[in-house]
Coordinates of all heavy atoms in Angstrom, one line a residue:
V27 N 0.8 -1.2 0.0 CA 0.0 0.0 0.0 C 0.8 1.3 0.0 O 0.7 2.2 -0.9 CB -0.9 0.0 1.2 CG1 -1.6 1.4 1.3 CG2 -2.0 -1.1 1.1
I28 N 1.8 1.3 0.9 CA 2.8 2.4 1.0 C 3.6 2.6 -0.3 O 3.7 3.7 -0.8 CB 3.7 2.3 2.2 CG1 2.9 2.3 3.5 CG2 4.7 3.4 2.2 CD1 3.7 1.9 4.7
E29 N 4.1 1.5 -0.8 CA 4.9 1.6 -2.1 C 4.0 2.1 -3.2 O 4.6 3.1 -3.9 CB 5.4 0.2 -2.4 CG 6.3 0.2 -3.6 CD 6.8 -1.3 -4.0 OE1 6.5 -2.1 -3.1 OE2 7.4 -1.4 -5.0
N30 N 2.8 1.6 -3.3 CA 2.0 2.2 -4.5 C 1.6 3.6 -4.3 O 1.4 4.3 -5.3 CB 0.8 1.2 -4.7 CG 1.2 -0.1 -5.3 OD1 2.3 -0.3 -5.7 ND2 0.2 -1.0 -5.3
M31 N 1.4 4.1 -3.1 CA 1.0 5.4 -2.8 C 2.2 6.3 -3.2 O 2.1 7.3 -3.9 CB 0.7 5.6 -1.4 CG -0.7 5.1 -1.0 SD -1.1 5.4 0.7 CE -1.5 7.1 0.7
I32 N 3.4 5.9 -2.9 CA 4.7 6.6 -3.2 C 4.9 6.7 -4.7 O 5.1 7.7 -5.4 CB 5.9 6.0 -2.5 CG1 5.8 6.2 -1.1 CG2 7.2 6.7 -3.1 CD1 6.8 5.5 -0.2
N33 N 4.6 5.5 -5.4 CA 4.8 5.5 -6.8 C 3.8 6.5 -7.5 O 4.1 7.1 -8.6 CB 4.6 4.1 -7.3 CG 5.7 3.2 -7.0 OD1 6.8 3.6 -6.7 ND2 5.4 1.9 -7.0
A34 N 2.5 6.4 -7.0 CA 1.5 7.3 -7.6 C 1.8 8.8 -7.4 O 1.7 9.6 -8.3 CB 0.1 7.0 -6.9
I35 N 2.3 9.2 -6.2 CA 2.7 10.6 -6.0 C 3.8 11.1 -6.9 O 3.9 12.1 -7.4 CB 2.8 10.8 -4.5 CG1 2.6 12.3 -4.2 CG2 4.3 10.5 -4.1 CD1 2.5 12.6 -2.7
K36 N 4.7 10.1 -7.2 CA 5.8 10.4 -8.1 C 5.4 10.5 -9.5 O 5.9 11.3 -10.2 CB 7.0 9.3 -8.0 CG 7.8 9.3 -6.6 CD 8.8 8.3 -6.6 CE 9.7 8.4 -5.3 NZ 10.8 7.3 -5.3
K37 N 4.4 9.7 -9.8 CA 3.9 9.6 -11.3 C 3.0 10.9 -11.5 O 3.1 11.4 -12.7 CB 3.1 8.3 -11.4 CG 2.7 8.1 -12.8 CD 1.9 6.8 -12.9 CE 1.4 6.5 -14.4 NZ 0.6 5.3 -14.4
V38 N 2.1 11.2 -10.6 CA 1.0 12.2 -11.0 C 1.2 13.5 -10.1 O 0.5 14.4 -10.3 CB -0.4 11.7 -11.0 CG1 -0.4 10.5 -12.0 CG2 -0.8 11.3 -9.6
G39 N 1.9 13.5 -9.0 CA 2.1 14.6 -8.2 C 1.1 14.4 -6.9 O 0.6 13.4 -6.7
A40 N 1.1 15.5 -6.1 CA 0.5 15.4 -4.8 C -1.1 15.5 -4.8 O -1.8 14.6 -4.4 CB 1.0 16.5 -3.9
G41 N -1.6 16.6 -5.3 CA -3.1 16.9 -5.3 C -3.7 16.6 -6.7 O -3.0 16.4 -7.6
S42 N -5.1 16.4 -6.6 CA -5.8 16.2 -7.8 C -6.0 17.4 -8.7 O -6.1 17.3 -9.9 CB -7.2 15.7 -7.5 OG -8.0 16.6 -6.9
G43 N -6.0 18.6 -8.1 CA -6.0 19.9 -8.8 C -7.3 20.3 -9.1 O -7.5 21.3 -9.8
G44 N -8.4 19.7 -8.7 CA -9.8 20.2 -8.9 C -10.9 19.3 -8.4 O -10.6 18.3 -7.9
T45 N -12.0 19.8 -8.7 CA -13.2 18.9 -8.5 C -13.3 17.9 -9.5 O -12.5 17.9 -10.5 CB -14.6 19.8 -8.4 OG1 -14.8 20.2 -9.8 CG2 -14.4 21.0 -7.6
R46 N -14.2 16.9 -9.2 CA -14.3 15.8 -10.2 C -14.7 16.2 -11.5 O -14.3 15.7 -12.5 CB -15.2 14.7 -9.7 CG -14.8 13.9 -8.5 CD -13.6 13.0 -8.7 NE -14.0 12.0 -9.7 CZ -14.5 10.8 -9.4 NH1 -14.7 10.5 -8.2 NH2 -14.8 9.9 -10.3
N47 N -15.5 17.3 -11.5 CA -16.0 17.9 -12.8 C -14.9 18.7 -13.6 O -15.0 18.8 -14.8 CB -17.3 18.7 -12.6 CG -17.9 19.2 -13.8 OD1 -18.1 18.4 -14.8 ND2 -18.2 20.5 -14.0
I48 N -14.0 19.3 -12.9 CA -13.1 20.3 -13.4 C -11.7 19.8 -13.1 O -11.0 20.2 -12.2 CB -13.3 21.7 -12.8 CG1 -14.7 22.2 -13.0 CG2 -12.4 22.7 -13.5 CD1 -15.1 23.5 -12.4
S49 N -11.3 18.9 -14.0 CA -10.0 18.3 -14.0 C -9.4 17.4 -13.0 O -8.4 17.0 -12.9 CB -8.8 19.5 -14.2 OG -8.5 20.0 -12.9
G50 N -10.4 17.2 -12.0 CA -10.0 16.4 -10.9 C -10.4 14.9 -10.8 O -10.3 14.3 -9.7
T51 N -10.8 14.4 -11.9 CA -11.0 13.0 -12.1 C -9.8 12.3 -12.6 O -9.5 12.3 -13.8 CB -12.2 12.6 -12.9 OG1 -13.4 13.2 -12.2 CG2 -12.4 11.1 -13.1
N52 N -9.0 11.8 -11.7 CA -7.7 11.1 -12.1 C -8.1 9.6 -12.4 O -9.0 9.1 -11.9 CB -6.7 11.2 -11.0 CG -5.3 10.7 -11.4 OD1 -5.0 9.6 -11.4 ND2 -4.5 11.8 -11.8
H53 N -7.2 9.0 -13.2 CA -7.5 7.6 -13.6 C -7.5 6.7 -12.3 O -8.2 5.7 -12.4 CB -6.4 7.1 -14.6 CG -6.8 5.7 -15.1 ND1 -8.0 5.5 -15.7 CD2 -6.1 4.5 -15.2 CE1 -8.1 4.2 -16.2 NE2 -6.9 3.6 -15.8
Y54 N -6.7 7.1 -11.4 CA -6.7 6.4 -10.1 C -8.1 6.3 -9.5 O -8.5 5.4 -8.9 CB -5.7 6.9 -9.1 CG -4.3 6.6 -9.5 CD1 -3.4 7.5 -9.9 CD2 -3.8 5.2 -9.4 CE1 -2.1 7.3 -10.2 CE2 -2.5 5.0 -9.6 CZ -1.6 5.9 -10.1 OH -0.3 5.6 -10.4
H55 N -8.8 7.5 -9.5 CA -10.2 7.6 -9.0 C -11.1 6.5 -9.7 O -11.9 5.8 -9.1 CB -10.7 8.9 -9.1 CG -10.1 10.0 -8.4 ND1 -9.5 11.1 -8.9 CD2 -9.6 10.0 -7.1 CE1 -8.9 11.9 -8.0 NE2 -8.9 11.2 -6.9
V56 N -10.9 6.5 -11.1 CA -11.8 5.7 -11.8 C -11.6 4.2 -11.5 O -12.4 3.3 -11.4 CB -11.5 5.9 -13.4 CG1 -12.3 4.9 -14.3 CG2 -11.9 7.4 -13.7
L57 N -10.3 3.9 -11.4 CA -9.9 2.5 -11.1 C -10.5 2.1 -9.7 O -10.9 0.9 -9.5 CB -8.4 2.3 -11.1 CG -7.7 2.4 -12.4 CD1 -6.1 2.3 -12.2 CD2 -8.2 1.2 -13.3
L58 N -10.4 2.9 -8.7 CA -10.9 2.7 -7.4 C -12.4 2.5 -7.4 O -13.0 1.6 -6.8 CB -10.5 3.8 -6.4 CG -11.0 3.8 -4.9 CD1 -10.7 2.4 -4.3 CD2 -10.5 4.8 -4.2
E59 N -13.1 3.4 -8.0 CA -14.5 3.3 -8.1 C -15.0 1.9 -8.8 O -15.9 1.3 -8.3 CB -15.3 4.5 -8.9 CG -15.2 5.7 -8.0 CD -15.7 6.9 -8.7 OE1 -15.6 7.0 -10.0 OE2 -16.0 7.9 -8.0

């Protein structure tokens, strides 16, 4: 879990950058849902 969180933050950065409607739906959110 820790390793994959670190990998994700290195890959896409820290924050999502917006609401789900405005640029904030990252592919990780889609996979999780």
Side-chain angles (χ1 to χ4, degrees):
V27 170
I28 294 170
E29 181 182 353
N30 285 354
M31 290 182 72
I32 292 170
N33 290 340
I35 206 168
K36 286 180 177 179
K37 183 178 180 181
V38 302
S42 69
T45 65
R46 289 291 297 272
N47 186 50
I48 305 175
S49 82
T51 295
N52 190 279
H53 189 56
Y54 287 109
H55 298 128
V56 177
L57 291 175
L58 176 54
E59 286 175 338

